[in-house]
């Protein structure tokens, strides 16, 4: 895996998950899609599903060391793009060095876009969400440009690998 600069792990502001003091998540869908897309582009989506390969032998093989390095990268992408009040369970999960899949599941990302289907809770949230009025065309245009620039950056990262 090619080296990745720290700044490349940080998403644009509108794709960052915000958690308030009551544990409510803001921009969850945007964050979820960004994390899953980034990891999919890097070929690391298995780290979100918990499908860790079985490693044979007592000594750490090259494959096992590679998996552990990728696991750290996945954890970094997940945690560095959260702002606000970190819930106690999240602090504990990071301190205990849980797997990226366990952290993602606890955060609420298990069974979403990675598997190709949305879970029931995500579908219900989408149905219940209020539609935003399109009266603010300038902010929509700015968000579209920022999303385009983010995707362009991801494509450049892929080309480097």
């Amino acid at each position: 895996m090619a080296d990745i600069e720290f700044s490349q792990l940080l998403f644009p502001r509108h794709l960052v998950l915000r958690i308030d003091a009551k544990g409510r998540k803001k921009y969850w869908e945007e964050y979820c899609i960004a994390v899953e897309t980034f990891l999919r582009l890097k070929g690391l989506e298995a780290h979100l599903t918990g499908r860790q390969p079985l490693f044979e032998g007592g000594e750490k093989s090259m494959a096992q060391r590679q998996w552990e390095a990728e696991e750290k990268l996945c954890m970094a992408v997940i945690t560095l793009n959260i702002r606000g009040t970190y819930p106690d369970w999240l602090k504990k999960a990071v301190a205990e060095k849980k797997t990226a899949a366990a952290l993602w599941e606890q955060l609420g990302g298990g069974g979403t876009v990675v598997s190709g289907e949305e879970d029931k809770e995500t579908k219900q949230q989408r149905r219940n969400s209020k539609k935003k009025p399109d009266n603010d065309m300038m902010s929509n245009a700015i968000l579209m440009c920022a999303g385009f620039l983010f995707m362009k950056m991801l494509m450049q990262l892929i080309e480097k690998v």
Side-chain angles (χ1 to χ4, degrees):
M1 177 173 31
D3 288 338
I4 298 176
E5 293 182 28
F6 181 78
S7 63
Q8 294 172 330
L9 300 176
L10 304 176
F11 297 157
R13 185 177 180 173
H14 70 282
L15 298 176
V16 172
L17 178 64
R18 307 227 186 272
I19 302 177
D20 67 15
K22 293 182 179 181
R24 293 179 295 213
K25 300 174 200 168
K26 187 173 181 182
Y27 304 116
W28 167 252
E29 284 187 35
E30 294 86 346
Y31 165 79
C32 183
I33 291 169
V35 168
E36 292 173 348
T37 301
F38 182 87
L39 296 180
R40 190 178 303 116
L41 290 172
K42 290 293 187 186
L44 304 175
E45 62 271 15
H47 290 269
L48 293 183
T49 63
R51 296 186 196 131
Q52 181 176 354
L54 297 174
F55 300 107
E56 295 181 15
E59 272 187 54
K60 285 188 178 181
S61 66
M62 185 64 141
Q64 189 173 3
R65 284 193 290 269
Q66 177 73 22
W67 178 267
E68 289 171 358
E70 292 170 353
E71 187 73 12
K72 289 177 184 176
L73 175 62
C74 294
M75 291 288 286
V77 170
I78 292 169
T79 58
L80 289 174
N81 291 292
I82 299 174
R83 300 288 180 272
T85 306
Y86 274 60
D88 290 336
W89 62 262
L90 180 59
K91 293 176 191 173
K92 185 178 178 183
V94 172
E96 292 175 355
K97 298 181 181 176
K98 294 206 174 193
T99 65
L103 179 61
W104 190 241
E105 182 72 31
Q106 222 171 347
L107 196 54
T112 57
V113 181
V114 168
S115 65
E117 298 179 8
E118 294 181 2
D119 59 9
K120 289 180 183 178
E121 184 179 337
T122 305
K123 285 181 182 177
Q124 189 64 36
Q125 286 173 352
R126 190 183 310 272
R127 279 188 218 116
N128 294 338
S129 67
K130 296 177 184 173
K131 293 202 173 201
K132 297 178 184 176
D134 286 336
N135 58 1
D136 192 359
M137 290 177 58
M138 182 58 97
S139 64
N140 287 343
I142 291 170
L143 287 175
M144 286 176 57
C145 289
F148 174 78
L149 291 173
F150 177 72
M151 292 306 292
K152 185 176 179 181
M153 180 190 77
L154 286 176
M155 295 306 291
Q156 289 171 346
L157 283 173
I158 293 171
E159 291 175 4
K160 288 182 182 180
V161 177

